[in-house]
Amino acid sequence: MLAFAYRNGALCAEQVLLEDIARRFGTPCYVYSSAAIESAYAEFERALRGRAALICYSVKANSNIAVLALLGRLGAGFDIVSGGELARVLAAGGSAGKTLFSGVGKSESEIEFALEKGIGCINVESEPELERVDAVARRLGRRAPVALRVNPDIDAKTHPYISTGLRENKFGVAHEDAERLYRRAAKMPGIELVGIGCHIGSLLTEAAPFAAAAQRVVALADRLEGAGIRLQHVDFGGGIGIRYKDEAPQPIAAFVAGALAALGTRPHRAVFDPGRSIVGNAGALLTRVEYVKPGASRNFLVVDAAMNDLIRPPLYEAWHDVQTVREAESPSAQRVYDVVGPVCESADFLAKDRKLAARGGDLLAVMSAGAYGMAMSSNYNSRPRAAEVLVRGDSAFLVRSRESVEQLFALERIPG
Ligand code: LLP
């Protein structure tokens, strides 16, 4: 499903002209296609048909409550990493019981909040965290549903900043420690062991490491079963990549098939927590060219979006396609540009060395920005965060207003 396509030379999100969105809501502006989100979710569902399974959308990728509400209506559960994300899920009408709480640093108050709301599962990532969850649950007179996130020590073959399943990463409990911890947890009165999980990293293009991790985790579940510890679910993680440039990630179905093959006929519910593969290509960052700035060695398009809006290019040297909202008529008008923002950092670029035909005032769309775009944005340089718009068919809805400058310092005080 293509979220963005040219119609009569003008780039549209579904049936809405991006020019109209810019006119109505201004720039910079994130634009998401509901149909593209629904279609990516449906791809997961199809691959899981006939199996006991739960797709827990990873909220960190794009946490706008309109996106969460859309996925919740489709039946998705959620994967969260903070009390803030749980609050968003609840505000969006999502179910706490279908929510998994991951992350290495859960605070006592976050654990308490999650238990009070009836969280589906806490993915414990260390022994001291296990002790803390047990203590909080006992204090509340409850038993906490828990899975251990196991670090399967598998190389996900992705960018080191987003690889998480290696021994050297901070995530999960070491594979060789897991059995001892499960035995210990089984004796804790505040803990109810419900599952086991893993997540080896993000932006995976090959299903093989994903399947290898799944096999290791299922083998561990078998050993635990032998020791009398019966679990209800296996969480295979997220991390399925998308195409930004010329990557050719294997389809969602190939990843799911690898995990399901590892699970075989075991009765466990299969859980996945995808983020990027659901929303990544469903979003674009719409921005306007402020200045065309030719230079002796490089030409720049200075646009009104910047690294505070989309930090992936400077942070990971990530490549995002840039399209002109008016389709280029003749290639002869094209020049090679760096697309840069107004932030005072040399790292403030959205794209480098792109052949584009653009003039001051033109609109550009930075593609594949639906995941880890707005969610990682900041107010650096006192820049109000962009607006967010959700498109459905021929309608566009403002789902987050552009921040005002006053909001940026509303919480600040000058002492007496
Ligand atoms: N589950 C767990 C436990 C995770 O840590 C993550 C992502 C996911 C699921 C979702 O992964 P996805 O399906 O979206 O790849 N900011 C980086 C990506 C960081 C991913 C962190 N963990 C980026 O912009 O590429």
Side-chain angles (χ1 to χ4, degrees), residues 58 60 149 162 199 202 239 273 275-276 312 316 372 376:
S58 194
K60 66 174 86 68
R149 172 170 173 184
I162 50 179
H199 171 81
S202 199
D273 29 86
R276 184 184 338 251
R312 300 194 71 258
Y316 313 117
Y372 307 108
M376 292 178 81

Side-chain angles (χ1 to χ4, degrees), residues 143-216:
R143 291 187 79 200
V146 159
L148 294 192
R149 172 170 173 184
V150 177
N151 185 334
D153 196 25
I154 298 258
D155 186 356
K157 302 201 170 65
T158 182
H159 192 289
Y161 284 13
I162 50 179
S163 182
T164 52
L166 282 173
R167 201 182 296 275
E168 68 214 46
N169 296 130
K170 70 176 176 181
F171 296 99
V173 302
H175 191 257
E176 55 277 14
D177 266 356
E179 203 170 325
R180 180 184 65 79
L181 283 180
Y182 266 100
R183 287 172 190 272
R184 193 173 163 213
K187 293 196 207 98
M188 292 178 162
I191 301 289
E192 183 194 357
L193 287 169
V194 296
I196 187 165
C198 70
H199 171 81
I200 57 170
S202 199
L203 205 43
L204 314 177
T205 51
E206 289 167 45
F210 192 84
Q215 283 159 18
R216 291 202 95 173

Side-chain angles (χ1 to χ4, degrees), residues 111-127:
I111 294 166
E112 191 172 323
F113 177 51
L115 291 177
E116 275 171 349
K117 294 297 175 191
I119 193 87
C121 181
I122 298 183
N123 286 343
V124 166
E125 303 216 17
S126 66
E127 191 159 11

